Amino acid sequence: MTRLTDKICIITGAAKGIGAAIARSFAAEGAKVVVTDVNREAGTALAEEIGATFVHLDVADEEDWRALEDKYPVIDVLVNNAGITGHEQQGAANDPENTHLIDWRYVHAVNLDGTFLGCRYAIRAMRKNEGKGSIINMSSRSGIVGIPGAAAYASSKAAIRNHTKTVALYCAQEGLQIRCNSVHPAAVWTDIWDTMIGHGEDADAKKKKVAQGTPLHRFGRPEEVAALCVLLASDEATFMTGTELTIDGGILAGSASSPGQ
């Protein structure tokens, strides 16, 4: 388990969910992991668990990125994982007709601006690393298809998908061996689903319905997404850039689902 030995790997939004799974997997592969999050308590606990370092980082705050650059001016891998759905605030509208502009902007600030700032930082830090490294941007199935009940989230994830390709081509144009790829999970069970499904009497039925809506009839596991990120971060994927990789149980392989599902 040494595919990432001594690589300095920064993961945003790493305190919980997919980010935490990525941090654990990277540490198991020998990486020098930097756990970043706005959640100090959970982030610090995870860092202590896996022998990593915790740094507080609000990805939408440019000053936080500058502070991170001061601490880590040279890196090997950045995973832009931090993100929100817009469903965190119960009762907030998320459709294209009723979403408030302030909520729309907040989702984009975290998801899209955070990814932009992360990519900018990573390119500069990887230039100092002999011009090589791996940037992994967490997009979503929602960045490939429309999601009527999550307009801002889908828009931000689609923009991340496109920006990934722009970064990949820019780095190649600059003669850098900096790779940038996007990962597109769908129906991966994390705490985020609790905010969308809720805790009512019908929560279990809703969860089962979502799982049955995937061709593999189950939710994905964060560890399965982490395994894909290990590949992209490793030297096994040095000819992969500008690529989008879906991990969705087969959802995007067909078009049987209606928008309501």
Side-chain angles (χ1 to χ4, degrees), residues 66-198:
R66 287 179 177 143
L68 183 67
E69 186 172 9
D70 289 341
K71 292 180 180 179
Y72 295 95
V74 182
I75 65 170
D76 296 280
V77 178
L78 173 68
V79 184
N80 281 312
N81 169 75
I84 59 174
T85 64
H87 292 275
E88 290 79 10
Q89 183 179 346
Q90 294 296 320
N94 287 283
D95 61 83
E97 181 180 7
N98 300 296
T99 299
H100 292 293
L101 182 59
I102 190 171
D103 296 329
W104 170 274
R105 286 176 172 166
Y106 182 56
V107 170
H108 282 80
V110 175
N111 296 358
L112 181 55
D113 294 355
T115 297
F116 158 71
L117 290 169
C119 288
R120 189 178 70 178
Y121 155 66
I123 294 169
R124 294 171 178 176
M126 291 174 186
R127 275 190 183 273
K128 301 172 186 176
N129 185 29
E130 299 178 353
K132 61 183 180 180
S134 174
I135 302 170
I136 303 167
N137 293 333
M138 197 62 62
S139 182
S140 169
R141 179 280 305 252
S142 304
I144 299 175
V145 298
I147 307 294
Y153 179 75
S155 171
S156 68
K157 291 298 185 177
I160 289 170
R161 176 195 186 197
N162 186 271
H163 191 61
T164 296
K165 298 176 189 301
T166 295
V167 170
L169 293 177
Y170 171 79
C171 290
Q173 176 181 291
E174 290 287 298
L176 302 169
Q177 294 298 308
I178 298 173
R179 300 174 290 110
C180 187
N181 297 286
S182 59
V183 177
H184 298 254
V188 174
W189 186 260
T190 66
D191 291 345
I192 286 177
W193 279 95
D194 285 333
T195 65
M196 293 189 287
I197 289 178

Side-chain angles (χ1 to χ4, degrees), residues 6 21 23 51 53 55 57 65 80 83 92 98 101 108 155 162 172 205 230-231 240 248 255:
D6 293 333
T53 301
V55 175
L57 175 68
W65 281 105
N80 281 312
N98 300 296
L101 182 59
H108 282 80
S155 171
N162 186 271
V230 168
L231 169 65
M240 293 180 67
D248 63 0
S255 57

